[in-house]
Coordinates of all heavy atoms in Angstrom, one line a residue:
F36 N 151.5 -2.6 -73.8 CA 152.8 -2.4 -74.2 C 153.7 -2.2 -73.0 O 153.5 -1.2 -72.3 CB 152.9 -1.1 -75.1 CG 152.0 -1.3 -76.4 CD1 150.8 -0.7 -76.5 CD2 152.5 -2.0 -77.5 CE1 150.0 -0.9 -77.6 CE2 151.7 -2.2 -78.6 CZ 150.5 -1.6 -78.7
M50 N 147.6 6.9 -80.3 CA 146.5 6.1 -79.8 C 146.0 6.6 -78.4 O 146.4 6.1 -77.4 CB 147.1 4.6 -79.6 CG 147.6 4.0 -80.9 SD 148.3 2.4 -80.6 CE 146.8 1.4 -80.3
F79 N 153.0 -7.1 -75.4 CA 154.1 -6.7 -76.4 C 155.2 -6.0 -75.6 O 154.9 -5.3 -74.6 CB 153.6 -5.6 -77.4 CG 152.5 -6.2 -78.3 CD1 151.2 -6.0 -78.0 CD2 152.9 -6.9 -79.4 CE1 150.2 -6.5 -78.9 CE2 151.9 -7.5 -80.3 CZ 150.5 -7.2 -80.0
D118 N 152.6 -12.2 -77.4 CA 152.8 -12.0 -78.8 C 154.3 -12.5 -79.1 O 155.2 -11.9 -78.6 CB 152.6 -10.6 -79.2 CG 152.7 -10.4 -80.7 OD1 153.8 -10.2 -81.2 OD2 151.7 -10.4 -81.4
C120 N 157.1 -12.6 -81.7 CA 157.5 -12.0 -83.0 C 158.8 -11.3 -82.6 O 159.0 -10.8 -81.5 CB 156.5 -11.1 -83.5 SG 156.9 -10.5 -85.2
L121 N 159.7 -11.1 -83.6 CA 161.0 -10.5 -83.4 C 161.0 -9.0 -83.7 O 162.0 -8.4 -83.3 CB 162.1 -11.3 -84.2 CG 162.2 -12.7 -83.7 CD1 163.1 -13.5 -84.8 CD2 162.8 -12.9 -82.3
C122 N 160.0 -8.5 -84.3 CA 160.2 -7.1 -84.9 C 160.4 -6.0 -83.8 O 161.1 -5.0 -84.1 CB 159.0 -6.7 -85.8 SG 157.4 -6.7 -85.0
E123 N 159.9 -6.2 -82.6 CA 160.2 -5.3 -81.6 C 161.6 -5.4 -81.0 O 162.1 -4.5 -80.3 CB 159.2 -5.4 -80.4 CG 157.8 -5.1 -80.7 CD 156.9 -6.4 -80.5 OE1 156.8 -6.9 -79.4 OE2 156.4 -6.8 -81.6
C130 N 160.6 -9.1 -88.9 CA 160.1 -10.2 -88.0 C 160.9 -11.4 -88.0 O 160.4 -12.5 -87.7 CB 158.6 -10.4 -88.3 SG 157.6 -9.0 -88.3
S165 N 153.0 -14.0 -84.3 CA 152.4 -13.0 -85.2 C 153.3 -12.7 -86.4 O 153.1 -11.7 -87.1 CB 152.1 -11.7 -84.5 OG 153.3 -11.1 -84.1
D166 N 154.3 -13.6 -86.7 CA 155.4 -13.2 -87.6 C 155.0 -13.6 -89.1 O 155.6 -13.1 -90.0 CB 156.6 -14.0 -87.3 CG 156.3 -15.5 -87.1 OD1 155.6 -15.8 -86.1 OD2 156.5 -16.3 -88.0
Y192 N 148.3 -16.1 -85.4 CA 148.0 -15.0 -86.3 C 148.0 -15.7 -87.7 O 149.0 -15.7 -88.4 CB 149.0 -13.9 -86.3 CG 149.0 -13.0 -85.1 CD1 149.4 -13.4 -83.8 CD2 148.6 -11.6 -85.3 CE1 149.5 -12.5 -82.8 CE2 148.7 -10.7 -84.2 CZ 149.1 -11.2 -83.0 OH 149.2 -10.3 -81.9
K195 N 147.2 -13.0 -91.5 CA 147.6 -11.6 -91.1 C 148.1 -10.9 -92.4 O 149.0 -11.4 -93.1 CB 148.7 -11.7 -90.1 CG 149.3 -10.3 -89.7 CD 150.4 -10.4 -88.7 CE 150.9 -9.1 -88.3 NZ 152.0 -9.1 -87.3
Y196 N 147.4 -9.8 -92.7 CA 147.7 -9.0 -93.9 C 148.8 -8.0 -93.7 O 148.9 -7.4 -92.6 CB 146.4 -8.4 -94.4 CG 145.4 -9.4 -94.9 CD1 144.5 -10.1 -94.1 CD2 145.4 -9.8 -96.3 CE1 143.6 -11.0 -94.5 CE2 144.5 -10.7 -96.8 CZ 143.6 -11.4 -95.9 OH 142.8 -12.3 -96.4
F200 N 146.9 -0.4 -91.7 CA 146.2 -0.1 -90.4 C 147.1 -0.4 -89.2 O 146.7 -0.2 -88.1 CB 145.0 -1.0 -90.4 CG 143.8 -0.5 -91.2 CD1 143.6 -1.0 -92.5 CD2 142.9 0.4 -90.7 CE1 142.5 -0.6 -93.2 CE2 141.9 0.9 -91.5 CZ 141.7 0.4 -92.7
Y201 N 148.3 -0.9 -89.4 CA 149.2 -1.1 -88.2 C 150.0 0.1 -87.9 O 150.9 0.0 -87.0 CB 150.2 -2.3 -88.5 CG 149.6 -3.6 -88.9 CD1 150.3 -4.5 -89.7 CD2 148.3 -4.0 -88.6 CE1 149.8 -5.7 -90.2 CE2 147.7 -5.2 -89.0 CZ 148.5 -6.0 -89.8 OH 147.9 -7.2 -90.2
G202 N 149.9 1.2 -88.7 CA 150.7 2.4 -88.5 C 150.9 2.8 -87.0 O 152.0 2.9 -86.6
P203 N 149.8 3.1 -86.3 CA 150.0 3.6 -84.9 C 150.7 2.6 -84.0 O 151.5 2.9 -83.1 CB 148.6 3.8 -84.4 CG 147.8 4.0 -85.7 CD 148.4 3.1 -86.7
F204 N 150.5 1.3 -84.2 CA 151.2 0.2 -83.4 C 152.7 0.3 -83.6 O 153.4 0.1 -82.6 CB 150.7 -1.1 -83.9 CG 151.4 -2.3 -83.3 CD1 150.9 -2.9 -82.2 CD2 152.6 -2.8 -83.8 CE1 151.6 -4.0 -81.6 CE2 153.3 -3.8 -83.2 CZ 152.8 -4.4 -82.1
R205 N 153.1 0.7 -84.7 CA 154.6 0.7 -84.9 C 155.2 1.8 -84.1 O 156.4 1.7 -83.8 CB 154.9 0.7 -86.4 CG 154.5 -0.6 -87.0 CD 154.9 -0.8 -88.5 NE 154.3 -2.1 -89.0 CZ 154.2 -2.4 -90.2 NH1 154.7 -1.5 -91.2 NH2 153.7 -3.5 -90.6
S210 N 158.5 -0.6 -83.7 CA 158.8 -1.9 -84.5 C 158.7 -1.7 -86.0 O 158.5 -2.6 -86.7 CB 157.9 -3.0 -84.1 OG 156.5 -2.7 -84.5
P212 N 159.9 -1.5 -89.8 CA 161.0 -2.0 -90.5 C 161.9 -0.9 -90.9 O 161.5 0.1 -91.4 CB 160.4 -2.8 -91.6 CG 159.0 -2.4 -91.8 CD 158.6 -1.8 -90.4
R217 N 156.9 -5.5 -95.1 CA 156.6 -6.9 -94.6 C 155.9 -7.7 -95.7 O 155.3 -8.8 -95.4 CB 155.8 -6.9 -93.3 CG 156.4 -6.1 -92.2 CD 156.0 -6.6 -90.9 NE 156.1 -5.7 -89.7 CZ 157.2 -5.3 -89.2 NH1 158.4 -5.6 -89.7 NH2 157.2 -4.4 -88.2
Q221 N 153.9 -11.1 -94.8 CA 152.5 -10.9 -94.5 C 151.6 -11.0 -95.8 O 152.2 -10.8 -96.8 CB 152.3 -9.6 -93.8 CG 153.0 -9.5 -92.4 CD 152.8 -8.2 -91.7 OE1 152.3 -7.2 -92.2 NE2 153.3 -8.2 -90.4
K248 N 143.5 -10.8 -89.1 CA 144.0 -9.5 -88.7 C 144.4 -8.7 -89.9 O 145.1 -9.3 -90.8 CB 145.2 -9.7 -87.8 CG 145.9 -8.4 -87.4 CD 147.2 -8.7 -86.7 CE 147.9 -7.4 -86.4 NZ 149.2 -7.5 -85.9
Y271 N 141.6 -9.4 -84.7 CA 142.4 -8.3 -84.1 C 142.0 -7.0 -84.7 O 142.2 -6.7 -85.9 CB 143.9 -8.5 -84.5 CG 144.9 -7.8 -83.5 CD1 146.0 -8.4 -83.1 CD2 144.6 -6.5 -83.1 CE1 146.9 -7.7 -82.2 CE2 145.5 -5.8 -82.3 CZ 146.6 -6.5 -81.8 OH 147.5 -5.8 -81.0
N272 N 141.3 -6.3 -83.8 CA 140.8 -4.9 -84.1 C 142.0 -4.0 -83.9 O 142.3 -3.5 -82.8 CB 139.7 -4.6 -83.1 CG 139.0 -3.3 -83.2 OD1 138.6 -2.7 -82.2 ND2 138.9 -2.7 -84.4
V273 N 142.8 -3.7 -85.0 CA 144.1 -3.2 -84.9 C 144.2 -1.7 -84.6 O 143.2 -1.0 -84.6 CB 145.0 -3.5 -86.1 CG1 145.0 -5.0 -86.3 CG2 144.4 -2.8 -87.3
S274 N 145.4 -1.3 -84.4 CA 145.7 0.1 -83.9 C 145.1 1.2 -84.8 O 144.4 2.1 -84.3 CB 147.2 0.3 -83.8 OG 147.8 0.1 -85.1
G275 N 145.2 1.0 -86.1 CA 144.6 2.1 -87.0 C 143.1 2.1 -86.9 O 142.5 3.2 -87.1
Y313 N 142.0 -2.5 -78.5 CA 142.4 -1.4 -77.6 C 141.2 -0.7 -77.0 O 141.3 0.1 -76.0 CB 143.2 -0.4 -78.4 CG 144.4 -1.0 -79.1 CD1 144.3 -1.4 -80.4 CD2 145.6 -1.3 -78.4 CE1 145.4 -2.1 -81.0 CE2 146.6 -2.0 -79.0 CZ 146.5 -2.4 -80.3 OH 147.6 -3.0 -80.9
Ligands
LIG401 C1 154.2 -7.8 -84.7 C2 152.8 -7.2 -84.6 C3 152.2 -6.1 -85.3 C4 150.9 -6.0 -84.8 C5 150.7 -7.0 -83.9 N1 151.9 -7.8 -83.8 C6 152.8 -5.2 -86.3 C7 153.2 -5.6 -87.6 O1 153.1 -6.8 -88.0 O2 153.8 -4.8 -88.3 C8 149.9 -4.9 -85.2 C9 148.9 -4.6 -84.2 C10 148.2 -3.3 -84.4 O3 148.3 -2.6 -85.4 O4 147.4 -3.0 -83.5 N2 154.5 -8.4 -85.8

Side-chain angles (χ1 to χ4, degrees):
F36 298 100
M50 301 178 70
F79 295 97
D118 183 274
C120 191
L121 297 168
C122 62
E123 296 116 65
C130 306
S165 68
D166 52 284
Y192 286 70
K195 176 177 178 181
Y196 289 86
F200 283 96
Y201 308 152
F204 174 93
R205 292 185 186 165
S210 68
R217 303 210 202 289
Q221 298 180 349
K248 175 187 177 188
Y271 200 139
N272 179 214
V273 300
S274 56
Y313 304 97

